[in-house]
Amino acid sequence: MDDAVERAADMSRGLTECPQGAVVSAVKPTEDGWQADVEVLELERAPTTTSVMATHRVTLDEEGELVAYERTHRYTRGQMDRRS
């Protein structure tokens, strides 16, 4: 699982060209590999609470190759998640 988490974060950073930060917030096995949600800093602003963040969903096959990728949520850093 650690390899899947690291691979998902690397994929998200590479696809979004956002090297500032990527943190895996969720990971789960699927029938064919792994699915991970990655929190990414998309646009850094001052003050930092107004920076634009996004949740990206990365799906990897059993070998760790990218199968699917999508941005599922976009928000400001200081925003509370009300989707629960």
Side-chain angles (χ1 to χ4, degrees):
M1 181 160 80
D2 290 341
D3 288 343
V5 169
E6 186 174 321
R7 185 84 169 141
D10 288 345
M11 286 282 186
S12 187
R13 279 191 292 265
L15 290 168
T16 61
E17 299 178 358
C18 297
Q20 299 94 333
V23 176
V24 176
S25 60
V27 64
K28 68 178 180 179
T30 65
E31 285 186 21
D32 302 319
W34 296 91
Q35 180 176 300
D37 288 346
V38 182
E39 307 302 317
V40 177
L41 173 61
E42 288 194 341
L43 179 61
E44 193 166 10
R45 292 185 175 160
T48 58
T49 55
T50 64
S51 292
V52 178
M53 306 289 294
T55 304
H56 296 183
R57 179 155 296 147
V58 178
T59 305
L60 306 173
D61 65 14
E62 292 175 350
E63 286 79 38
E65 296 300 317
L66 182 67
V67 174
Y69 176 86
E70 66 178 313
R71 180 171 58 197
T72 60
H73 184 59
R74 201 165 191 220
Y75 57 97
T76 58
R77 182 175 280 180
Q79 180 181 349
M80 184 186 306
D81 187 1
R82 299 186 190 279
R83 294 180 299 156
S84 312

